[in-house]
Amino acid sequence: MKRKINVGLIGHKFMGKAHSHALRDIMMFFDPGVIPVMRVICGIEDDIGEIAGKYGWQSYEKSWEKVVDNPEIDIIDVATPGLTHKDIVLAAVKKGKHVICEKPLAMTALEAREMYEAAEENKVKHLVNFNYRRVPAVDLARKLINEGRLGKVYHFKAIYQQEWAADENVPYLWRFDKVMAGAGSMADKGSHIIDLARFLIGEISEVASTTEIFIKERPSLNDSNIKEKVTTDDAAMFITRFGNGALGLFETSRISVGHKNALSFEVNGSKGSMRFDLERLNELEVYFKEGDAGTEGFKSIMVTEPSHSYIKNWWPAGHVLGWEHTFIHQYYEFLKAIAEDKQPSPNFYDGMKNQEVIEAIEKAAIEKRWIKI
Amino acid sequence: MKRKINVGLIGHKFMGKAHSHALRDIMMFFDPGVIPVMRVICGIEDDIGEIAGKYGWQSYEKSWEKVVDNPEIDIIDVATPGLTHKDIVLAAVKKGKHVICEKPLAMTALEAREMYEAAEENKVKHLVNFNYRRVPAVDLARKLINEGRLGKVYHFKAIYQQEWAADENVPYLWRFDKVMAGAGSMADKGSHIIDLARFLIGEISEVASTTEIFIKERPSLNDSNIKEKVTTDDAAMFITRFGNGALGLFETSRISVGHKNALSFEVNGSKGSMRFDLERLNELEVYFKEGDAGTEGFKSIMVTEPSHSYIKNWWPAGHVLGWEHTFIHQYYEFLKAIAEDKQPSPNFYDGMKNQEVIEAIEKAAIEKRWIKI
Amino acid sequence: MKRKINVGLIGHKFMGKAHSHALRDIMMFFDPGVIPVMRVICGIEDDIGEIAGKYGWQSYEKSWEKVVDNPEIDIIDVATPGLTHKDIVLAAVKKGKHVICEKPLAMTALEAREMYEAAEENKVKHLVNFNYRRVPAVDLARKLINEGRLGKVYHFKAIYQQEWAADENVPYLWRFDKVMAGAGSMADKGSHIIDLARFLIGEISEVASTTEIFIKERPSLNDSNIKEKVTTDDAAMFITRFGNGALGLFETSRISVGHKNALSFEVNGSKGSMRFDLERLNELEVYFKEGDAGTEGFKSIMVTEPSHSYIKNWWPAGHVLGWEHTFIHQYYEFLKAIAEDKQPSPNFYDGMKNQEVIEAIEKAAIEKRWIKI
Amino acid sequence: MKRKINVGLIGHKFMGKAHSHALRDIMMFFDPGVIPVMRVICGIEDDIGEIAGKYGWQSYEKSWEKVVDNPEIDIIDVATPGLTHKDIVLAAVKKGKHVICEKPLAMTALEAREMYEAAEENKVKHLVNFNYRRVPAVDLARKLINEGRLGKVYHFKAIYQQEWAADENVPYLWRFDKVMAGAGSMADKGSHIIDLARFLIGEISEVASTTEIFIKERPSLNDSNIKEKVTTDDAAMFITRFGNGALGLFETSRISVGHKNALSFEVNGSKGSMRFDLERLNELEVYFKEGDAGTEGFKSIMVTEPSHSYIKNWWPAGHVLGWEHTFIHQYYEFLKAIAEDKQPSPNFYDGMKNQEVIEAIEKAAIEKRWIKI
């Protein structure tokens, strides 16, 4: 009989819903070696009880401390805004609980390091939820690079564009506030593509950058006649050098009209190239230099074959997956790591390294020069 | 307090899994007005108990008659091969149970008519699961046509290609046997695109067609040295005239290399055109003739906005859905119809009409002339 | 010193311009073995002299008979409407002149046969200008099929859509008149895709079809208050069987909104598939079943490599060609055939076979049954 | 009677051929107001006489000085490598001849300034051949921006990738030598996308960059056993700020496998976005925020309508143009400027500004900091 693992989820909004759904579905499709139990969800809103029922949680709490203190809970799942991560995570790991934490891990690299070290010290499993590693097409991209199918990597470019803030009438939210959010698109979107850069290519060694706040003030949420000053970047452009010699090119934007959730990347190597677009996440485009230029071309692989990562647990070829599946795959990796007593990936170390890159980007923008990491 | 509705599912393979998942997820995202309870799943395999647990069913049965006879069951969900539909459905409706049935509804139009009439007579709700009506992009296509955005419809073409049988070494399965399967790609794939034709354009009035069995024999499943004769079509091509004057062009194939689950259609009208591809199911391409030819073009709508059907229950714009979501949407329509005491759509009438078209296609291929429906 | 060949061109409108341009450019890029001289262009309009100068012709005539009778002329290039082809061609071949003729070759299969036989009898070179055979990507498609890269061909579909007549206010032109034009989109567009079917797949053995005139009358060119009755089809749909067992699916339309000059085809065989779209004529998409489903996909070949047909005479890879280049390539084939004393391809035999298929399609539509060719 | 203008072309290789073709075709399709005469082509190779005949030049010379000194010549067309531009251009303008010069204008910004000032002082017309401004789709992009259809521009990104040098066995050419070529992909490809940035967005005000030589040495052209050291960049990445506040992101590479001649750009503004790809140069993708998110999307405009720049002189809609047409359009602009006694665009001022940006990029890469222009 497999071991049951009790989960306490802190947060119930966008990310909390995605995590809840992952837990609800995972055992129907995967066997991670342990059985997660949706024990308690935590939120401060009045309707948290109703939400708990709807999402399938056995109970709910309004205080995260109670969840963390509950000796029955094995896993703390942190799906709250970044500002709260540190306190919850530190409390949880000190209680010896495994932690899965939303990205970005922390507000600063220093915080992230403290969290990483505490988790290691307390010998718990820790995972930071860069879920796009778990798109089967992204995992295929990594596999092909690692197998040498692209040869030596020369260029990596990644762009993460959304349009949600393009309208200047979008009201002032916490994401526009540097104190609350740390940074704007550079961190919120940037952390995802930095993680993919590290996952696919390797460590970034130095960076130059620029950022801009194009819409300088926004109407207050409560009174649209009042304008509040925006203090986080709408967009960031940065170029990097990787430890292995590759060059990198990056853009993040939350005001890029026409782009709903457009994370795309391209890799160019000495023997081939590769492209991915999150809005068509079941596909990976590859170009292999194979010797006959006359029949070479970028080919679009439908990454829905049984041989692709995670797919055989789902549906037959061509029956496409969606965005939410990445959370199920990520949870599978986390639970499997617990079952096998291994550290999962990407873990807090990755969260910390990610934060270091973000801080270097920020510094490079301010100082107008290249910054080493 | 909302009414609970007990579901008994007959079948647990590909479709049974998709239906189970729909039931498992539906209440987390939708409110159909009644609460479905996963009471019992039925299958004849030895591991049905294990499957029941994995999928989230409260119990299991090995005899479908017992499920149908169980007075606690409100809904019979038929997810078995077509040959068995008639007996199960007739038994269920006679017991006054609502029925959701996989497509194609029956083996013949006559059977389908009997099933439709029995369901009507017993005043139950009935639905045939042409799930592709429930892709948000397909529903948007219908909405735009119905709003007159394309003007008068001139042409409809639909192609449903798969490659699963392209390899002549694919062993002999029930789908290759006319007695078991009724027909090949013409019915299996064809019923889907005929349904979309009826959903989007209207009734088909006459048809000409041709079919072919390209791979005449296949290795036996048990002994690959023995060859068995294939008696169902690998591919069918047909052209139609619609009641409203439009012309139709159709292809189905199970041996079309490179196509995993490629259902595509295009509509051309006096004021615009539209294209869809199931392998990119979050997108709909439309061309509106709006007056300035210099800035017109096919545009690719990401059908993930809150204003699109079903989307506001899911994730923010650009967070794409997958194939399985169509089953959830379809179940939502079915349950809502029960809650509101209306007949859902597509129902057995649609299943019957669909079968009539398939029989006409078959007859047209044999008699080598146009057949009226 | 290479032989000079004097050309007389009959016609100076759309096709006459394209042919003139081909002659103007050909010797800069190709060496067909003879040197064409732009001796005389023929047109009945008053400004034919000015046009002759602009296009680079040495002289002009207003009577085609004079051009045909001129003993200095070696080649008669027929770029006039179809109704006039027969008389010009028969006169030319009887004078022993080589003939390049626009498509369709004639108004009926009988006429076409007479023209073919006369050309053969008079031992001249004859070519019918199905120029799309000379798109490098189309030639690559044929090469790959002939090399067996797609295996046995199962399906061929071709669609040729334009929108120029979609607006019901497009005035009544000769193309809307059955007496003048013979047929509508079925012949005008259909002849091109029938030619590609024959070029790529082989002879069509039988056909079923339907056609429609959606816009029944059009404003007169001279007085828009007067309506004239349209007697040629706006669209045609037809399905075919090929001599080699493949199935075919075809559509032609001149009222397909959004499509400017959209000739597309797809070929599916036992080992691969292929797609082409004339609006992106530098590309050919191919799918080769090569053994590793996990890295297979449709790949888009840029058909601009030196190894591709005609390309090494143009520009480096990736420097794309346009529509007009097909005429240069076709003229190259014609002149080379003259230089080498071979019959070029596609010649009047192809023109005649093409017409036979068109007549069968027309008959099948009227008689509502399959017609053998 | 229109004035005849005698042209002397210096250079006969890739660019010389493209320029010759432009002159050969222009008068058939356009009326620039003067009539160019292909008087003399200049090259030092022995076969220059044969080439002159093939390309349609009346005569040839082996010394460029003789061409420049010839009083009959009105226009000097400079299609030689960059190292030679300054001497030829200065000599030509001092003789009062109009000059069309290939890009980049000069080896340094200082040289370029000298050339610009000399041309202005001598009151001649001068044009630097950034031919991609003359793609109809690019001109449409500019028109839409200038009309305000995209609102305020936020982001511009442009990538110019080719693969010709990706193979390390490509022998050592002058392009790999800093003395001969000035720079690598940064200047050769970069000058094109910098020009498009200036054409579409406006002046670049500062830049950060990095470059790399990935393939450090190449086999000598004459003896592949000898390796020569590469001194020009294989690739460059740079980010910019524009005078109007927009942010820019750029990449150039000559070792990007799979990309034949892939110049692409994207513009994002407050009201819309736009994308272009030179390998599909007849298309422009645009997204207009028009109010109904549910029917918005990127639309692909076929830029082949009569209303688009240059198109009405060519073929009907959908009959696509190729790469070479840009040279014809550029020559048309140049000749029209002469006829109308106006300065054409882009002229030597643009060539000079372009060079200033390139030098800033180079400096920024070396000094590892942002450089103002």
Side-chain angles (χ1 to χ4, degrees), chain D residues 184-362:
Chain D
S185 78
M186 188 186 69
D188 181 33
K189 301 298 124 201
S191 61
H192 273 300
I193 53 180
I194 290 163
D195 184 65
L196 291 182
R198 293 183 64 253
F199 183 57
L200 296 169
I201 313 300
E203 296 295 350
I204 292 169
S205 57
E206 47 184 337
V207 64
S209 71
T210 189
T211 68
E212 187 61 68
I213 302 168
F214 287 95
I215 300 170
K216 309 288 187 195
E217 51 181 29
R218 305 251 180 196
S220 173
L221 196 53
N222 301 317
D223 179 351
S224 66
N225 291 318
I226 297 170
K227 301 293 181 191
E228 296 191 60
K229 195 177 167 196
V230 176
T231 49
T232 59
D233 64 279
D234 287 321
M237 310 250 173
F238 46 104
I239 49 181
T240 69
R241 299 184 68 93
F242 286 84
N244 63 8
L247 303 185
L249 189 77
F250 297 81
E251 177 183 357
T252 65
S253 176
R254 63 189 180 197
I255 56 163
S256 207
V257 168
H259 296 287
K260 311 305 175 180
N261 191 28
L263 184 167
S264 67
F265 64 74
E266 176 164 346
V267 187
N268 309 111
S270 58
K271 292 163 61 180
S273 290
M274 223 159 48
R275 299 192 285 231
F276 172 77
D277 175 355
L278 186 62
E279 291 182 348
R280 288 177 173 172
L281 62 78
N282 294 278
E283 302 170 36
L284 182 71
E285 285 189 282
V286 299
Y287 187 108
F288 294 137
K289 205 151 194 62
E290 287 171 330
D292 175 12
T295 56
E296 285 173 6
F298 273 96
K299 67 177 150 182
S300 180
I301 301 171
M302 282 292 288
V303 190
T304 59
E305 294 293 317
S307 63
H308 294 133
S309 299
Y310 311 113
I311 297 294
K312 71 173 185 298
N313 295 76
W314 293 105
W315 315 107
H319 294 70
V320 299
L321 301 187
W323 169 83
E324 71 201 28
H325 294 76
T326 58
F327 289 83
I328 302 176
H329 302 165
Q330 190 71 285
Y331 238 115
Y332 167 72
E333 297 293 340
F334 182 54
L335 294 174
K336 188 158 65 90
I338 290 171
E340 298 174 358
D341 194 21
K342 293 176 181 167
Q343 203 50 264
S345 164
N347 56 45
F348 287 6
Y349 178 81
D350 299 287
M352 177 186 78
K353 294 303 288 184
N354 197 292
Q355 211 92 29
E356 289 175 11
V357 177
I358 288 173
E359 285 187 7
I361 296 168
E362 198 167 13

Side-chain angles (χ1 to χ4, degrees), chain C residues 104-173:
Chain C
L105 182 57
M107 297 297 279
T108 66
L110 200 66
E111 268 188 28
R113 178 171 297 273
E114 191 181 345
M115 291 155 79
Y116 166 60
E117 288 172 353
E120 283 290 296
E121 203 175 310
N122 288 282
K123 297 188 191 317
V124 300
K125 306 308 175 206
H126 45 91
L127 183 141
V128 59
N129 189 36
F130 288 115
N131 57 309
Y132 297 137
R133 290 194 183 198
R134 302 305 166 208
V135 176
V138 173
D139 211 41
L140 176 60
R142 178 173 154 100
K143 182 170 163 280
L144 294 172
I145 292 172
N146 288 353
E147 287 175 1
R149 297 291 296 273
L150 300 199
K152 180 172 160 50
V153 172
Y154 291 152
H155 317 316
F156 177 74
K157 53 185 152 289
I159 294 172
Y160 200 160
Q161 295 169 292
Q162 293 185 339
E163 67 170 5
W164 66 272
D167 186 335
E168 61 188 10
N169 295 318
V170 170
Y172 193 86
L173 308 168

Side-chain angles (χ1 to χ4, degrees), chain B residues 153-182:
Chain B
V153 172
Y154 292 152
H155 317 315
F156 177 74
K157 51 185 154 288
I159 294 172
Y160 200 160
Q161 295 170 292
Q162 292 184 338
E163 66 169 4
W164 66 272
D167 186 335
E168 61 188 10
N169 295 318
V170 170
Y172 195 85
L173 308 168
W174 67 271
R175 286 196 180 281
F176 296 119
D177 178 358
K178 190 165 174 49
V179 175
M180 290 291 290

Side-chain angles (χ1 to χ4, degrees), chain A residues 154-155 157 161 206 209-212 235 241 251 253 255-257 259-260 266 268 273 287 368 370, chain D residues 154-155 157 161 206 209-212 235 241 251 253 255-257 259-260 266 268 273 287 368 370:
Chain A
Y154 291 152
H155 317 316
K157 53 185 151 292
Q161 295 169 293
E206 48 184 337
S209 72
T210 189
T211 69
E212 187 61 66
R241 299 184 67 92
E251 177 184 357
S253 176
I255 56 164
S256 206
V257 168
H259 296 287
K260 313 304 174 179
E266 176 164 347
N268 309 111
S273 290
Y287 187 108
K368 305 206 82 162
W370 283 79
Chain D
Y154 292 152
H155 317 316
K157 52 186 152 290
Q161 295 170 292
E206 47 184 337
S209 71
T210 189
T211 68
E212 187 61 68
R241 299 184 68 93
E251 177 183 357
S253 176
I255 56 163
S256 207
V257 168
H259 296 287
K260 311 305 175 180
E266 176 164 346
N268 309 111
S273 290
Y287 187 108
K368 306 205 84 161
W370 283 79

